[in-house]
Amino acid sequence: MQGLTPLHEAQKIVLDATPVLGLEKVGLVESLGRVIGEDLVALRDNPPWDNSAMDGFAVRHEDIKQDHAIAKPVVLKVVEDVPAGKVATKSVGPGEAIRIMTGAPVPKGANVVIKVEDTEHTQDSVKVFKPEPAGSNIRPQGEDVRKGDCIIPKGTQLRPGEVGMLAILAKPFVFVHQRPRVAILSTGDELADLDERFDEDKIINSNSYGIAAAVQEAGGIPILLGIAKDQPAALKEKISHGLNADILVLSGGVSMGDYDFTKAVFKELGAAMNFWKLAIRPGQPLAFGKIQGKLAFGLPGNPVSSMVTFEQLVRPAMLKMSGQRSYGRPVVQAAFQETFSKRTDRRHFLRGILTREAGGFTVRTTGDQGSGILTSMVKANCLIDIPQETERLKPGDPVTVQVLGEPQWDREAGALPSIGHRQSCC
Ligand code: AMP
Ligand code: MG
């Protein structure tokens, strides 16, 4: 009998076989969350000129450098009033000031801006009551971005800050890595889809939807192929449709049962496949390989097993395809809150609830951990990663935790009002 394959070996095989997808041109707003495929070099300075950080008066430092009694301010002649969006036509000479707005270019001759609230002024003159160092309230040319510098290196995932920067760099379009298209196929004669009658002997196809959501969460495009019957011909036909995508994800039919045809069909389609019994729980039986150059995964049918194996194997492959540089979830250490024991033959992924407390993170399980208990995923905000060699855990033991989705503990502990992240039904 085939031995158990450690997850990290399977992950290496998957990632080594995974290509990075090519580039496509997208609009700037659409680029959010995508990975840029070009180095973005600034073609000009930002700001493009020295400009005022305040509404006020541009003056010469020489004219205002002495300390003046409040009763005896420096009085300067206002020679021009420059509204927003305009540029001064005059320069500031000795004893002169030009009124300017925030962001306006600093006029020639001036090297300080005095805030309007620190002055008294009329249309023609301004009183300055205290000295300011040279350069005060002036944002120098290029303080943000210098012409010729690489501002966003390729391989960066674009966040709102980068999208704003793309606009500063005058890039309405940008080249990003394509999003992986993932064809999703559920298998099993016992399955009924949402548009069918649920007879008593049928199980609702939940995997297709859970996996499609996971694909979207990972930045991919799901393509739902529906349900294939447990017949090799039906399976083969659906799989061949799925090969138009970048990745094909099947669930079910990878075990040793009489109706588990996935392996046979994968082989028939000429795939160089790995059929693993992974040393993890949940999610032992798994098939992976390439069919006609496309990645094909056969995940176990049990709903939790399919989600956990998706997390550990398909998601990293999708992130690599999308041009990302790290393929895992955020990981933290937490103090386990329960007792737990297991055999030392497999690595376990318990569904957990991670909480941030004054002394650090704590984590407890969601309760029953059966591979058909999807509520364990519904309640979870993390997977507790228990190494193969660990035999037992007691309260307080440190464990490694993979954080799923948005870290919800921050919402409760943060400064903004919160009504708590998890509601209970009445
Ligand atoms: P299998 O791996 O095909 O033997 O399936 C194992 C278990 O997972 C069976 O109880 C199936 O009913 C269940 N299962 C398989 N596919 C799905 C699916 N698409 N949605 C929900 N449950 C499924
Ligand atoms: Mg089945």
Side-chain angles (χ1 to χ4, degrees), residues 144-378:
D144 185 17
V145 167
R146 287 226 162 264
K147 181 177 173 183
D149 284 355
C150 177
I151 307 301
I152 305 178
K154 76 173 161 202
T156 305
Q157 186 175 24
L158 301 174
R159 300 164 301 166
E162 280 87 15
V163 173
M165 181 54 73
L166 289 172
I168 283 179
L169 298 175
K171 293 282 288 187
F173 298 99
V174 63
F175 282 100
V176 294
H177 288 278
Q178 289 164 29
R179 301 167 65 190
R181 287 164 200 278
V182 183
I184 299 162
L185 177 59
S186 286
T187 71
D189 289 347
E190 77 281 24
L191 299 177
D193 222 320
L194 291 175
D195 55 357
E196 296 175 61
R197 266 192 62 206
F198 311 134
D199 292 329
E200 272 167 16
D201 56 346
K202 294 286 183 188
I203 289 172
I204 294 182
N205 168 25
S206 60
N207 288 357
S208 288
Y209 302 99
I211 292 171
V215 165
Q216 274 192 311
E217 194 205 8
I221 301 168
I223 299 155
L224 289 167
L225 297 182
I227 300 169
K229 293 280 178 209
D230 285 324
Q231 294 156 6
L235 203 52
K236 214 162 147 182
E237 196 197 323
K238 292 258 187 188
I239 289 176
S240 57
H241 291 312
L243 294 175
N244 293 316
D246 301 304
I247 302 180
L248 172 70
V249 177
L250 261 85
S251 72
V254 281
S255 314
M256 306 300 284
D258 288 347
Y259 295 95
D260 293 334
F261 295 118
T262 302
K263 289 183 192 178
V265 171
F266 273 1
K267 271 189 186 153
E268 227 180 289
L269 286 166
M273 297 297 294
N274 302 278
F275 298 110
W276 290 312
K277 275 177 180 275
L278 286 183
I280 62 169
R281 185 174 179 169
Q284 198 186 65
L286 201 129
F288 167 74
K290 277 194 164 172
I291 306 176
Q292 295 163 26
K294 304 297 175 66
L295 300 190
F297 292 86
L299 307 184
N302 277 308
V304 179
S305 310
S306 69
M307 296 210 104
V308 169
T309 47
F310 181 96
E311 270 294 319
Q312 306 307 323
L313 289 159
V314 186
R315 191 173 198 275
M318 286 182 62
L319 296 189
K320 180 171 178 190
M321 278 191 167
S322 318
Q324 306 270 15
R325 292 180 171 186
S326 72
Y327 314 134
R329 294 278 195 178
V331 163
V332 297
Q333 299 295 311
F336 195 60
Q337 299 290 284
E338 296 169 23
T339 52
F340 176 76
S341 63
K342 68 174 193 51
R343 299 223 307 265
T344 54
D345 58 343
R346 293 196 252 169
R347 182 171 164 185
H348 283 215
F349 290 97
L350 304 179
R351 276 72 69 209
I353 299 167
L354 182 66
T355 309
R356 193 170 72 171
E357 314 221 3
F361 291 109
T362 61
V363 68
R364 63 185 198 280
T365 67
T366 53
D368 203 336
Q369 297 287 304
S371 58
I373 297 188
L374 198 55
T375 45
S376 71
M377 289 299 294
V378 172

Side-chain angles (χ1 to χ4, degrees), residues 122-139:
T122 63
Q123 195 66 20
D124 305 323
S125 72
V126 57
K127 290 179 185 170
V128 179
F129 297 95
K130 60 182 175 72
E132 289 272 9
S136 287
N137 299 321
I138 291 177
R139 299 188 286 220

